[in-house]
Amino acid sequence: MVEPPSGPLQRPLPDGTVPERVVVRTEGRWLTIMVVMLVTMMVIMVVTSFVGALHPASNVEVIDSRTLHLKGEFVESNLGTALEPDGSATVRLIAQQYDFVPRCIVVPAQVPVRFRLTSDDVIHGFLLPNTNINTMVVPGFVAEVRTRFSRPGDYVMPCHEYCGLGHQAMWAQVRVVPWEQFAHRGLLERTSCAAQ
Ligand code: CUA
């Protein structure tokens, strides 16, 4: 009486037996393909993190979300775009269900722009397509991200973190204008689309 083959690799298949060395060789090829893909994706991640300045926010800054509107940096009169003495711009925004405040902001092109955001209710997301900006906005923390817009234009900024029933309608807009349109502004002036 013939003993049935013990290893699953030696069991005959309906069309015949696949020899173990063939299986080993095929698995080896797949393993090589997987390793090459993994290494390629790792290289892409490392290169784009340097070239495109894509990396996790390094900013850890806490804020009391219960008093956002009453005092401190995120009072309403301080929201929008502010020019810094060095010519760069700082944008302050509040994310809340289901809107960004202000809803539309104006920023100058070709200078460094720093976004500072916080939330006064739940976790929101802040994404500017075609830029390196992509962050979560967590209540109790200030999210800070930096970029530079190379040319004027309108950018949409969707909330990309599910925040409730109105999440899909939570959009805002960034209007990038030539630097000259900003040059005459005072340092204390805040800008949003409504002021245009
Ligand atoms: Cu805010 Cu989704």
Side-chain angles (χ1 to χ4, degrees):
M1 201 175 116
V2 183
E3 283 279 306
S6 52
L9 295 177
Q10 283 144 19
R11 205 174 293 142
L13 298 173
D15 295 330
T17 307
V18 178
E20 188 172 350
R21 60 183 167 75
V22 176
V23 174
V24 170
R25 194 176 61 207
T26 312
E27 285 188 341
R29 284 180 187 155
W30 276 111
L31 196 64
T32 311
I33 292 172
M34 296 310 293
V35 169
V36 169
M37 281 170 67
L38 277 174
V39 170
T40 308
M41 285 188 273
M42 283 300 292
V43 168
I44 290 173
M45 277 169 64
V46 172
V47 169
T48 52
S49 73
F50 285 102
V51 175
L54 298 170
H55 41 67
S58 54
N59 190 48
V60 178
E61 202 179 324
V62 292
I63 192 164
D64 186 352
S65 48
R66 289 167 305 179
T67 55
L68 280 187
H69 299 285
L70 304 175
K71 59 177 186 195
E73 184 184 344
F74 289 89
V75 292
E76 193 172 345
S77 57
N78 203 34
L79 299 178
T81 308
L83 280 189
E84 303 294 341
D86 63 2
S88 67
T90 301
V91 182
R92 291 183 181 85
L93 289 163
I94 293 179
Q96 60 187 32
Q97 289 170 316
Y98 297 101
D99 223 336
F100 289 96
V101 184
R103 184 137 216 253
C104 174
I105 52 166
V106 182
V107 296
Q110 283 159 348
V111 296
V113 179
R114 183 167 66 123
F115 285 88
R116 286 175 62 76
L117 298 101
T118 189
S119 162
D120 68 359
D121 40 41
V122 299
I123 296 178
H124 297 276
F126 181 62
L127 170 75
L128 272 173
N130 303 322
T131 71
N132 59 327
I133 288 187
N134 182 345
T135 187
M136 284 165 80
V137 186
V138 183
F141 293 88
V142 178
E144 182 172 308
V145 280
R146 294 155 189 267
T147 194
R148 178 193 285 263
F149 299 93
S150 52
R151 65 181 88 87
D154 277 7
Y155 290 71
V156 288
M157 45 183 204
C159 172
H160 68 323
E161 198 75 47
Y162 182 74
C163 53
L165 288 178
H167 160 73
Q168 80 283 358
M170 188 167 166
W171 289 78
Q173 202 183 352
V174 179
R175 183 166 298 157
V176 183
V177 301
W179 164 251
E180 301 74 54
Q181 287 189 35
F182 260 81
H184 63 278
R185 289 177 196 279
L187 289 178
L188 294 176
E189 203 172 330
R190 300 288 177 262
T191 317
S192 72
C193 300
Q196 294 293 297

